[in-house]
Amino acid sequence: MRAYYSDHFVLPLPPGHRFPMAKYRMIREGVAQGVVSVEFHEAAAATDGVLALAHHPVYVDQVSRGVLPERVQKDIGFPWSLQMVERSRRSTGATIAACRSALEQGVAVNLAGGTHHAYADRGAGFCVFNDAAVAARLMQAERRVKRVAVVDLDVHQGNGTASILANDDSVFTLSLHGQNNYPFEKERSDLDVALPDGVTDDDYLEALEGALSQLMQRFVPELIIYLAGADPHEGDRLGRMKLTLAGLAARDRQVFALGRQHRIPIAVAMAGGYGKKIEDTVAVHVQTISIAAQYTSNIV
Ligand SMILES: [Zn+2]
């Protein structure tokens, strides 16, 4: 299985910044040590033309030149730098590459990405470009697939993805998220499942099963982009859910089993994870990649 990385494009952050930048390098190291069948590839940068498949060209230009309105830059939560631009382009490029690879080999992963709070014309919540929306549109533009589903299991609603793809019947957006969590004003996905605070493994897995079966009744995708957020974990600072590491393994297996059963390739992006202990977050992500690797040869 191929894994695309961009963690060596480090985005400079002020001391004490709450974004866990180190997690991406730790994920790559954890996968290198623990998952045998993974090939690492550096991600290429997404170009302006590709980003414009899901973003307004004016926004892409403002990001590139560092002339975003102050409020938008503040909502993104990162100070502007050339490295921020390059990192965001590479992370989007990694989801694109993972989609192409998944279509050939069944499963592939982006060791970052899942930046689902980015809208067509503005970023927010540590998200600059919406990698899933860009990659879905590009796979269609390259005539590789017609129908894509974004299965977003990060704890936060995929509001940017829902907004960008709101009037696009060729991409199905599914978001399973915490009803009381950020973003407090939610968008409408094709299927939203809002869960209460403190949800545990059994209730979560039952909700996911129902959501995936509804997805398959309403829409048969040729490619799934899976945002495997680590923030539903019980040790997360922001997640407000109580899933165990074993519960999250069962979550991942449900998604990959669906892919295998229906022969749908799956590209995985990491999305969020803000563990009180960063090692817990990394363990959840590495576990997802390990489970993904087991499914590679079984899907297509
Ligand atoms: Zn999140």
Side-chain angles (χ1 to χ4, degrees):
M1 181 180 75
R2 292 184 170 190
Y4 295 89
Y5 64 93
S6 51
D7 64 90
H8 55 311
F9 297 96
V10 175
L11 189 161
L13 293 177
H17 193 280
R18 65 198 180 105
F19 189 77
M21 192 58 66
K23 100 171 177 182
Y24 298 98
R25 177 182 48 78
M26 292 170 73
I27 293 171
R28 181 163 52 80
E29 289 168 358
V31 172
Q33 283 162 18
V35 187
V36 283
S37 53
V38 169
E39 268 175 44
F40 293 93
H41 295 269
E42 181 181 285
T47 62
D48 288 4
V50 165
L51 293 169
L53 292 168
H55 291 283
H56 294 176
V58 171
Y59 173 64
V60 175
D61 182 63
Q62 286 174 333
V63 171
S64 303
R65 294 193 295 123
V67 294
L68 283 168
E70 207 173 316
R71 230 207 74 219
V72 176
Q73 192 70 52
K74 202 163 163 252
D75 284 350
I76 289 173
F78 296 139
W80 185 88
S81 60
L82 274 175
Q83 293 98 316
M84 185 206 80
V85 181
E86 186 66 9
R87 168 69 175 237
S88 304
R89 287 181 187 275
R90 296 275 176 170
S91 178
T92 300
T95 296
I96 291 166
C99 285
R100 289 187 186 126
S101 178
L103 288 164
E104 288 164 14
Q105 302 186 351
V107 181
V109 303
N110 173 3
L111 299 180
T115 41
H116 57 170
H117 300 311
Y119 283 70
D121 62 351
R122 65 189 190 278
F126 307 135
C127 302
V128 177
F129 299 128
N130 195 306
D131 57 321
V134 169
R137 288 261 170 87
L138 183 60
M139 292 309 102
Q140 294 174 325
E142 291 177 347
R143 298 182 184 278
R144 295 171 192 265
V145 290
K146 291 197 175 77
R147 298 153 70 80
V148 183
V150 179
V151 173
D152 186 340
L153 302 187
D154 186 277
V155 120
H156 304 100
Q157 195 212 22
N159 56 339
T161 319
S163 165
I164 292 169
L165 300 164
N167 298 313
D168 186 340
D169 291 340
S170 70
V171 185
F172 191 99
T173 53
L174 161 60
S175 178
L176 201 84
H177 52 262
Q179 68 188 17
N180 299 321
N181 216 321
Y182 176 94
F184 302 107
E185 279 179 39
K186 311 252 187 310
E187 301 290 339
R188 186 187 291 210
S189 313
D190 291 302
L191 178 55
D192 285 299
V193 180
L195 297 167
D197 289 355
V199 71
T200 51
D201 290 348
D202 287 350
D203 289 345
Y204 185 97
L205 293 169
E206 194 181 314
L208 176 59
E209 198 179 344
L212 293 176
S213 98
Q214 221 192 111
L215 160 65
M216 294 307 296
Q217 279 162 24
R218 290 172 53 186
F219 186 89
V220 178
E222 297 162 282
L223 170 67
I224 290 173
I225 301 174
Y226 172 31
L227 275 61
D231 44 15
H233 185 255
E234 57 191 349
D236 199 85
R237 279 186 286 121
L238 308 179
R240 306 168 77 136
M241 290 187 180
K242 296 269 177 250
L243 271 70
T244 64
L245 188 62
L248 285 159
R251 172 196 74 166
D252 294 337
R253 285 201 195 93
Q254 271 198 35
V255 176
F256 292 113
L258 180 88
R260 183 165 64 177
Q261 189 189 344
H262 298 277
R263 298 190 156 267
I264 305 165
I266 300 181
V268 188
M270 295 296 98
Y274 311 91
K276 291 178 195 121
K277 288 189 284 182
I278 196 168
E279 293 79 11
D280 286 345
T281 299
V282 171
V284 173
H285 286 307
V286 171
Q287 173 176 262
T288 297
I289 294 156
S290 166
I291 292 169
Q294 292 163 25
Y295 278 85
T296 310
S297 54
N298 294 324
I299 286 186
V300 288

